[in-house]
């Protein structure tokens, strides 16, 4: 059988982009899928909430798909599951914390009872007919992260997941370099490795360095300490708690995702907080300010987050108080710089002290820098290499790094999403492209907002809209009401009466011209109005509002 | 006379924000104004082109205003002049390059012949009745930059302008620290100093270090070198030219502002290029690729710039060719990170080699870091200090720095734009607030887009618009045509026929309900439609499009 002699690797997301990581490994009649993440909309995606991968390929091969194997519990690796499982319901495999987070997500979407969740431990090997998937402990900015080694009849495909090398992790669970080494010794057919930090020289610092820094900063605090960080960074939160305990501070969580994730982590034993330390956000006023720490969301300046509300003075429960020390323990994700800066400015303006990454080293990345990547390449010694998880620039730097380590350029493949990478016993190549792309989620709609709607939203955001309404008696070929003009987002109508009066004349002339020439084709008339009015408005204002003529016929 | 015993300092822009720098110094019946800059719109200012300061205060004191004194030729210091001079036409003072750039700007706006431009040299003192303004050479990322020392009967106000300390500037014109020192010795009443880099420790590197780096990179280039940088950074451009000449490369300029500014700089002698080195962009194909350098705009990923067009493959004259080396010699201005990253990704994808600031040190800032700020504070020893040019976070860090240097906290003032800072012989305080703010320029309209229009543009960009049109016979109290529904940016109508049909029923019910209850007040009917339809759509889609009911009456 032809299909038995080859392995196909298809990433439906996560290449040439940050987020929505999902990769299918196919052998014969089996497909194992690694991760199922979401992405945030880019700035041209007006009004879109989140983006999920197009999994048409998996749906078309529904019977082959054996399950989703999850490397860790970040949104860009599990966030699309509630939407995707509605399309293709297959078993999930992941570590305890990862599935704990998935569980609360599926619960929210009311589909938990229909789903099969299989908890695995690092070291476990899941057998799938002719393939098998081994979970291997790695380090990352969320606990319980794994790399995956997928054994196929043609060899091992090693997928690092998101990772860094932390020799002193908070939970003591060090990346299993021994196992990396063993697998490398036996031979790796294909390495797929995290490229997020491929541009950065050196090493990513240990999470533990942040703890020491935080502790020092805490000692200088005279009032409350409010720390904003990623809700999923359990180890960071543990260190914030530990620093608080040393000063006799109580700890309260604020923000929906912070409350939810810390709850999951506490229940599953990933976060250790003594009962008398944890307090509800409503109870903070029972303690003196210098005995209170608040851990909150909003480290990326998200407009609806706890931190942004405090900064804007609109938080229901928290106001900036004299002596407050805010710590933003995160780096800006590209694109969020301005929102974070606004939050910092507003907090400073309200008199708070604010410590952020330009001032102190209060954050470390969760991703491997160049020296760590080199270590992993050297240990695994793959035959083929595909850089994954990153924009094109990151993939390219990672490819250059692999080449410098001695891998032949012809064995390194920078792929696009949807491209099929085929490996046979003696060669590998990029074959056909399968359907892939971005499905936009807007409110309850999944995929119902397309390019035309987005184009209109962009147009509307730039110059607004002018609606012209006219009622025509078709029999008599006369206008019997209108034209009326209403605009939104174009110009302040009350101050532009002259312009709008002139605009009405233009429309009226355009109409009369059509009707007197016996043009009764509505779309021709509309097009004439659009063009005459558009020209007039551009001349007068250098703006091009969307022009929407509506003809009512009686 | 009361007003003769005090000096007032009012910044109408440039405090708590990046850009639109403008400060008025007032004594008795005299006002001198420092700079007149524009700002770029923030992301909430949908469709706005640029932002200029509100100068109502100057217009209300028109007779007092003696002139604009310009520190340097960057847009955030001169860019509002074409708009402001139409409101208040007073003399301009600035160095040769600064006024050269202003001139070409005023020419574009067709107002040059009405304006008075006075070229000054560093060292010149302009007498203004009881005040005088001294131009003092400083260093910055544009040639011919000055600090200003404004002598008033109450003492000297020292305004650094934008500055850094460069001991090895390209033109050999070092910041005049001797003069700083002399003035400091005589006594400075008030220092206003650039805070842009107040968060950064150490020193800003000399512009010369970039030249060495560029030269090394040029030697590795096998084909064309395309460098994107700020058009106004004449010294950077000079170094790019010099590196090119060493390799026998011809140099072509691309991009409107690059062509315009290099032309001004060449004519005025700030840029030195031998005649046979400079070629037109159309002539580059007459030379082998490894003998060509192109200097272009677009280092911030601006969507319409030369570089973005090359990256997108839509440039009229330039395509990425094999062997091309792109150098983005600039750092991202906060907010531009994503656009720049997109440009880098696209260039890499087309096979170009791209060098940018995360990979190599090919840019230095034009602003002083903490050690340089300390130097200037120590030399000037001001009585009062106002940090300027920066977001609140930068102003605050600069205030902390001044305090660490020994200045009393009560003599340091972080101001808001529009706040009047009053100095009398023995004290200083913040007095009343004058009108100030952001005037938005959109196309030909200056200030005609206000908050309501912006709010609508934002709303439209998120969820689009639904227009409902109905023609009503008021006499008979019956609907005679419609309701018709048209939407833009909400949902793709062809794929949502069911939803729109249901929506029509809702509107029809809402209307019938009003009419049968004898409600003939159009605004009540519209409000009823908006509320019924809004509720229905939110339930079905979780979206809230702008709902625009139009009732035609016959």
């Amino acid at each position: 059988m032809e299909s038995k002699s080859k392995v196909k690797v298809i990433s439906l997301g996560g290449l040439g982009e940050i987020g929505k990581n999902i990769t299918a490994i196919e052998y014969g009649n089996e497909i194992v899928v690694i991760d199922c993440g979401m992405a945030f909309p880019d700035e041209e995606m007006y009004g879109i909430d989140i983006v999920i991968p197009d999994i048409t390929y998996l749906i078309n091969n529904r019977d082959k798909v054996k399950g989703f194997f999850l490397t860790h519990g970040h949104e860009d690796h599990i966030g699309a599951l509630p939407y995707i499982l509605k399309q293709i319901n297959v078993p999930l495999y992941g570590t305890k914390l990862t599935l704990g987070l998935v569980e609360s997500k599926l619960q929210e979407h009311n589909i938990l009872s229909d789903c099969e969740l299989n908890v695995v431990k690092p070291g476990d090997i899941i057998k799938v007919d002719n393939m098998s998937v081994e979970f291997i402990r790695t380090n990352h900015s969320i606990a319980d992260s794994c790399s995956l080694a997928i054994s196929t009849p043609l060899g091992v495909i090693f997928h690092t997941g998101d990772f860094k090398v932390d020799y002193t992790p908070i939970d003591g669970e060090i990346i299993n370099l021994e196992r990396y080494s063993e697998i490398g010794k036996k031979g790796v057919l294909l390495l797929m490795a995290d490229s997020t930090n491929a541009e950065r020289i050196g090493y990513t610092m240990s999470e533990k360095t942040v703890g020491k820094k935080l502790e020092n900063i805490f000692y200088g605090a005279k009032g409350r300490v409010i720390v904003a960080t990623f809700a999923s960074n359990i180890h960071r939160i543990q260190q914030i708690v530990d620093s608080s305990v040393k000063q006799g501070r109580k700890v309260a969580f604020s923000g929906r995702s912070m409350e939810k994730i810390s709850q999951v982590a506490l229940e599953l034993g990933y976060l250790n907080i003594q009962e008398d330390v944890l307090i509800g956000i409503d109870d903070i006023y029972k303690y003196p300010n210098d005995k209170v720490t608040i851990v909150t969301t909003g480290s990326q300046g998200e407009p609806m987050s706890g931190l942004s509300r405090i900064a804007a003075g609109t938080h229901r429960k928290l106001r900036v108080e004299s002596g407050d020390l805010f710590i933003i323990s995160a780096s800006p994700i590209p694109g969020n710089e301005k929102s974070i800066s606004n939050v910092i400015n507003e907090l400073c303006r309200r008199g708070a002290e604010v410590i952020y990454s330009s001032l102190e080293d209060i954050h470390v990345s969760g991703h491997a820098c160049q020296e760590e990547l080199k270590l992993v390449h050297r240990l695994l010694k793959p035959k083929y290499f595909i850089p994954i998880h990153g924009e094109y620039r990151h993939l390219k730097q990672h490819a250059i790094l692999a080449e410098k380590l001695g891998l032949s350029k012809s064995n390194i493949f920078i792929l696009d999403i949807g491209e099929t990478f085929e490996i046979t016993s003696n060669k590998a190549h990029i074959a056909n492209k399968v359907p892939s792309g971005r499905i936009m989620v807007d409110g309850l709609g999944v995929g119902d907002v397309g390019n035309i709607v987005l184009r209109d939203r962009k147009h509307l955001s730039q110059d607004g809209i002018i609606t012209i309404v006219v009622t025509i008696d078709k029999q008599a070929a006369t206008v019997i009401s209108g034209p009326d003009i209403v605009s939104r987002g174009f110009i302040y109508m009350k101050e532009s009466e002259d312009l709008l009066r002139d605009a009405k004349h233009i429309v009226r002339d355009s109409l009369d011209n059509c009707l007197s020439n016996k043009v009764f084709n509505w779309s021709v008339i509309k097009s004439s109005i659009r063009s005459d009015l558009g020209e007039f408005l551009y001349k007068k204002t250098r703006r091009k509002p969307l022009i929407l003529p509506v003809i009512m016929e009686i």
Side-chain angles (χ1 to χ4, degrees), chain A:
Chain A
M1 237 163 83
E2 206 266 328
S3 67
K4 285 271 177 182
S5 62
K6 66 185 171 200
V7 173
K8 293 197 228 172
V9 178
I10 307 168
S11 288
L12 298 171
L15 298 177
E17 64 181 349
I18 302 289
K20 75 177 173 62
N21 298 291
I22 176 169
T23 295
I25 315 272
E26 181 172 353
Y27 175 79
N29 288 319
E30 303 158 45
I31 294 178
V32 305
V33 187
I34 302 170
D35 291 335
C36 186
M38 52 148 282
F40 291 107
D42 67 34
E43 51 201 358
E44 295 280 288
M45 294 185 190
Y46 292 92
I48 299 302
D49 300 322
I50 68 165
V51 179
I52 60 173
D54 178 342
I55 59 147
T56 303
Y57 183 75
L58 299 182
I59 292 171
N60 291 345
N61 292 278
R62 187 185 298 265
D63 295 339
K64 292 187 180 180
V65 182
K66 303 302 176 188
F68 287 104
F69 296 77
L70 308 170
T71 59
H72 63 285
H74 277 155
E75 289 292 341
D76 53 337
H77 293 258
I78 65 167
L81 280 171
Y83 305 93
I84 300 298
L85 289 175
K86 285 175 196 157
Q87 301 173 47
I88 180 167
N89 191 348
V90 293
L92 308 180
Y93 300 87
T95 51
K96 200 164 64 170
L97 180 62
T98 305
L99 289 188
L101 295 171
V102 168
E103 196 177 309
S104 85
K105 213 170 257 303
L106 299 180
Q107 220 149 24
E108 267 180 23
H109 283 255
N110 263 321
I111 55 169
L112 180 60
S113 56
D114 304 326
C115 300
E116 182 191 328
L117 278 65
N118 301 288
V119 174
V120 300
K121 287 189 303 297
D124 282 359
I125 298 174
I126 312 301
K127 183 95 186 99
V128 187
D129 297 346
N130 292 293
M131 296 199 273
S132 68
V133 181
E134 178 177 350
F135 285 77
I136 301 162
R137 158 104 43 218
T138 190
N139 298 127
H140 186 42
S141 46
I142 184 169
D144 239 11
S145 295
C146 286
S147 299
L148 301 180
I150 298 101
S151 295
T152 77
L154 274 76
V156 170
I157 296 174
F158 198 101
H159 188 288
T160 63
D162 284 350
F163 85 105
K164 67 189 276 190
V165 176
D166 193 339
Y167 297 112
T168 55
I170 304 308
D171 57 4
E173 301 283 4
I174 301 158
I175 175 174
N176 192 345
L177 293 172
E178 296 89 335
R179 188 63 191 143
Y180 273 62
S181 176
E182 280 168 17
I183 292 174
K185 198 168 174 191
K186 285 191 208 150
V188 169
L189 180 64
L190 168 67
L191 170 64
M192 308 180 79
D194 178 8
S195 310
T196 312
N197 277 351
E199 287 178 356
R200 300 201 195 163
I201 58 169
Y203 270 95
T204 295
M205 297 295 284
S206 170
E207 175 65 28
K208 202 156 265 180
T209 60
V210 177
K212 289 202 186 107
K213 194 83 200 177
L214 286 176
E215 205 178 311
N216 287 338
I217 294 171
F218 269 59
Y219 275 114
K222 292 177 192 68
R224 300 186 299 188
V225 177
I226 300 103
V227 192
T229 192
F230 297 106
S232 61
N233 199 332
I234 311 296
H235 290 158
R236 183 72 45 84
I237 295 170
Q238 184 70 57
Q239 297 196 98
I240 295 164
V241 170
D242 293 347
S243 294
S244 302
V245 168
K246 283 189 188 159
Q247 292 190 358
R249 287 178 184 268
K250 305 288 179 190
V251 177
F253 291 111
S254 167
R256 210 174 62 92
S257 67
M258 188 61 80
E259 289 167 39
K260 202 179 74 180
I261 296 182
S262 64
Q263 191 54 38
V264 172
L266 273 169
E267 279 168 16
L268 299 179
Y270 289 87
L271 196 54
N272 300 304
I273 311 182
Q274 281 193 297
E275 251 179 55
D276 62 333
V277 170
L278 194 60
I279 59 173
I281 195 74
D282 294 315
D283 293 331
I284 55 170
Y285 298 104
K286 296 182 185 161
Y287 302 89
N289 278 358
D290 65 349
K291 293 297 169 209
V292 171
T293 297
I294 299 163
V295 188
T296 177
T297 52
S299 64
Q300 294 302 309
E302 305 90 330
M304 307 306 279
S305 68
L307 191 67
S308 291
R309 288 178 194 269
I310 299 172
T314 57
H315 196 287
R316 281 187 308 126
K317 295 175 181 171
L318 298 168
R319 293 268 173 284
V320 173
E321 293 184 17
S322 154
D324 277 356
L325 171 66
F326 285 80
I327 303 173
I328 301 180
S329 184
S331 290
I333 293 172
N336 296 341
E337 291 82 358
K338 273 209 156 176
S339 331
I340 299 172
S341 206
N342 288 344
V343 167
I344 293 171
N345 287 324
E346 287 313 306
L347 291 173
C348 288
R349 231 184 255 279
R350 290 175 189 277
E353 190 181 347
V354 189
I355 294 179
Y356 42 98
S357 59
S358 345
L359 300 181
E360 300 275 4
D361 296 330
I362 44 172
H363 180 66
V364 294
S365 170
H367 300 272
C369 290
Q370 290 178 358
E371 294 307 309
E372 292 151 275
L373 294 176
K374 287 179 193 170
L375 171 63
V376 164
H377 278 264
R378 285 296 191 206
L379 287 179
L380 293 171
K381 302 181 284 287
K383 182 170 180 188
Y384 302 113
F385 170 56
I386 298 176
I388 56 169
H389 299 174
E391 296 175 22
Y392 195 91
R393 55 191 269 191
H394 306 119
L395 304 182
K396 190 176 172 195
Q397 289 303 319
H398 202 171
I400 291 171
L401 178 140
E403 214 185 321
K404 281 185 186 156
L405 291 172
L407 198 60
S408 155
K409 200 170 183 167
S410 60
N411 284 11
I412 301 171
F413 297 85
I414 299 184
L415 296 185
D416 232 349
I417 62 168
E419 280 183 339
T420 306
F421 181 69
E422 281 190 6
I423 315 178
T424 53
S425 57
N426 54 1
K427 69 182 178 65
H429 72 289
I430 299 172
N432 63 321
K433 196 160 177 169
V434 308
S436 64
R438 314 188 286 192
I439 305 293
M440 291 178 274
V441 179
D442 180 7
L444 294 182
V446 177
D448 67 344
V449 170
N451 288 334
I452 296 175
V453 171
L454 280 189
R455 192 198 58 201
D456 285 345
R457 285 184 185 173
K458 181 176 182 177
H459 189 164
L460 291 166
S461 79
Q462 295 297 305
D463 287 321
I465 186 167
I466 283 206
T467 304
I468 300 110
V469 188
V470 60
T471 307
I472 290 179
D473 182 336
K474 202 176 175 182
Q475 242 74 47
T478 50
V479 172
I480 53 171
S481 180
D484 279 8
I485 291 192
V486 195
S487 90
R488 285 292 183 277
F490 166 55
I491 212 161
Y492 192 47
M493 288 178 76
K494 285 205 177 137
E495 289 176 3
S496 315
E497 282 171 1
D498 291 355
L499 183 77
L500 292 173
R501 195 193 51 228
D502 293 349
K504 250 187 218 179
H505 287 306
I506 298 282
V507 173
R508 185 73 208 217
D509 289 349
S510 199
L511 264 169
D512 289 347
N513 197 24
C514 288
L515 294 178
S516 64
N517 286 314
K518 313 275 182 228
V519 174
F520 298 119
N521 180 327
W522 292 165
S523 67
V524 173
I525 297 179
K526 285 179 187 176
S527 155
S528 157
I529 292 174
R530 257 195 298 265
S531 124
D532 292 346
L533 183 59
E535 197 180 322
F536 168 77
L537 292 175
Y538 185 72
K539 207 178 110 207
K540 289 288 184 185
T541 65
R542 287 286 183 284
R543 300 179 201 168
K544 294 177 174 176
L546 204 155
I547 297 174
L548 188 62
V550 182
I551 298 175
M552 303 294 283
E553 185 183 336
I554 62 167

